[in-house]
Amino acid sequence: MKAQKIIIDTDPGIDDAMAIHQAFADSRLEVVGLTTIFGNVYVEQAARNALWLSEQAAYKCGVATGASKPLIQELNTPSFHVHGAEGFGRLEDIHINGTLDPRPAHIYLSETLRAHSGEIILCPVGPLTNIANLLDYDPDVVNHVKKLVIMGGAVHVPGNVTSFAEANFWNDPHAADKVLAADWQIDLIGLDVTATLQFPPAVFEQVAKTSPRIGGFIYDICEFYIDFYEKIVGKRVCLMHDPAALLAISDPEIFTFEKTPLSVIVSGEEVGNSIVSENSGRKAVNVAVKADAQAARQKFLSIYAEADSAYLKRINDEGE
Ligand code: BDR
Ligand code: CA
């Protein structure tokens, strides 16, 4: 079977790094490109980190830099306390060899989605500013993307930055609202499910064992993230936000969806809140409301078990 083409719009970030390496390792997916956004780090760092991850896995894909600030509101301070000073926990000062795509992310997205019309799933796992800019720049792009699978929002559950808002929506609520209002198919993987996917350190010990290069890196950076979650949830676990969005593409049967139109509150106390808006006239979003945690863990482990052999195969193919 042909691999599903995807583009990940990302703010790496520890769970972003997990999701990106998961996608690189999964032979059912073809990562066409990575576009980057502020959020967990500033956008310049996000771009460097994304390029570095692709080099670490010897995975050839475009990497383009996106917006440095939200559409309207002020830029929030990046989540250094969650992801580390440069996005990868205690790891700092990474070095990249390759070059970034010269196009801004929204232009890269427009041209790439049109070049593969109807074939690409766009998977944003950061604030949605690049996707809102894409809609402004190329409104007809809605007819060229296969669908969007977004990590963001908290529909029937509390937020994680405020009691109302999830981080990606909170970081650019105007962009999130614009993206949810557009006429394209969206699967929303929000805190309703990602906060229920709490993986213990044993999972990362196993990925480090089965794939020492890639899984070992994930294990190393995870410690910082697990330290953070220990303070929040009172036990040593990792909440699998961005990897869940990738699982919703590769293994959608893990999730139960409910169909409902949504909007996002853009100001006031509830800024960033994603709310059901039945009479808005908007297209219904497929909101993930339940996840099979056991199945998600099994899939995650089996995908990561292939990460190093997939890397070695790419190195060998390059040398031939
Ligand atoms: C989301 O916010 C970021 O910190 C994570 O990378 C994830 O995309 C979770 O709310
Ligand atoms: Ca993210």
Side-chain angles (χ1 to χ4, degrees):
M1 234 186 38
K2 252 179 102 184
Q4 171 61 55
K5 290 184 172 48
I6 64 168
I7 297 177
I8 306 175
D9 185 71
T10 173
D11 57 338
I14 294 173
D15 63 322
D16 300 73
M18 269 183 221
I20 290 167
H21 274 318
Q22 179 185 329
F24 289 159
D26 192 333
S27 59
R28 299 167 297 169
L29 303 177
E30 176 191 341
V31 184
V32 175
L34 303 172
T35 52
T36 59
I37 187 67
F38 63 85
N40 294 327
V41 288
Y42 292 113
V43 72
E44 296 77 13
Q45 184 73 46
R48 284 164 50 78
N49 288 355
L51 185 55
W52 190 81
L53 292 168
S54 70
E55 292 179 352
Q56 186 184 31
Y59 199 101
K60 295 222 174 329
C61 65
V63 181
T65 310
S68 58
K69 57 182 175 54
L71 295 185
I72 295 172
Q73 74 176 24
E74 295 286 308
L75 178 68
N76 292 318
T77 306
S79 324
F80 299 130
H81 61 299
V82 187
H83 296 271
E86 295 184 9
F88 290 158
R90 291 183 188 86
L91 179 71
E92 288 178 23
D93 214 15
I94 57 163
H95 295 283
I96 47 177
N97 300 310
T99 46
L100 295 161
D101 192 287
R103 292 167 285 182
H106 63 283
I107 298 181
Y108 170 86
L109 285 169
S110 164
E111 293 179 359
T112 311
L113 291 167
R114 282 173 175 273
H116 304 275
S117 186
E119 289 181 14
I120 297 180
I121 293 179
L122 179 54
C123 182
V125 295
L128 290 164
T129 322
N130 290 336
I131 318 304
N133 286 339
L134 169 67
L135 285 169
D136 264 344
Y137 174 75
D138 181 4
D140 190 44
V141 76
V142 294
N143 297 314
H144 295 279
V145 63
K146 186 169 176 183
K147 70 169 170 175
L148 275 80
V149 178
I150 298 175
M151 191 284 132
V155 180
H156 302 297
V157 296
N160 58 357
V161 244
T162 69
S163 50
F164 302 103
E166 179 280 328
N168 290 339
F169 279 21
W170 181 76
N171 275 323
D172 194 344
H174 297 88
D177 191 55
K178 192 178 172 79
V179 170
L180 292 177
D183 187 19
W184 46 18
Q185 189 193 324
I186 296 177
D187 296 348
L188 192 77
I189 312 301
L191 296 182
D192 301 70
V193 287
T194 67
T196 70
L197 297 175
Q198 303 189 354
F199 287 7
V203 169
F204 304 98
E205 282 160 22
Q206 196 164 331
V207 301
K209 219 178 264 168
T210 54
S211 286
R213 177 185 173 86
I214 306 291
F217 162 73
I218 294 299
Y219 173 83
D220 289 345
I221 61 171
C222 230
E223 200 192 357
F224 191 92
Y225 202 51
I226 292 177
D227 286 350
F228 167 78
Y229 277 115
E230 187 171 21
K231 287 178 216 136
I232 306 293
V233 292
K235 51 184 174 181
R236 293 194 65 71
V237 288
C238 181
L239 270 60
M240 302 300 284
H241 303 298
D242 295 352
L246 271 298
L247 286 175
I249 298 174
S250 60
D251 300 281
E253 69 285 352
I254 290 174
F255 300 90
T256 307
F257 293 91
E258 147 190 311
K259 258 181 156 11
T260 179
L262 291 178
S263 54
V264 178
I265 295 180
V266 296
S267 61
E269 191 197 2
E270 290 196 31
V271 65
N273 196 0
S274 39
I275 52 167
V276 171
S277 51
E278 289 296 357
N279 303 318
S280 58
R282 293 181 171 193
K283 191 170 182 145
V285 171
N286 293 321
V287 180
V289 289
K290 217 170 149 234
D292 178 340
Q294 206 44 42
R297 182 170 165 163
Q298 282 318 321
K299 289 288 178 191
F300 184 79
L301 286 171
S302 64
I303 294 166
Y304 262 95
E306 302 303 320
D308 278 18
S309 52
Y311 158 76
L312 288 171
K313 184 172 181 320
R314 285 189 289 273
I315 295 283
N316 282 337
D317 291 352
E318 237 172 61
E320 273 166 15

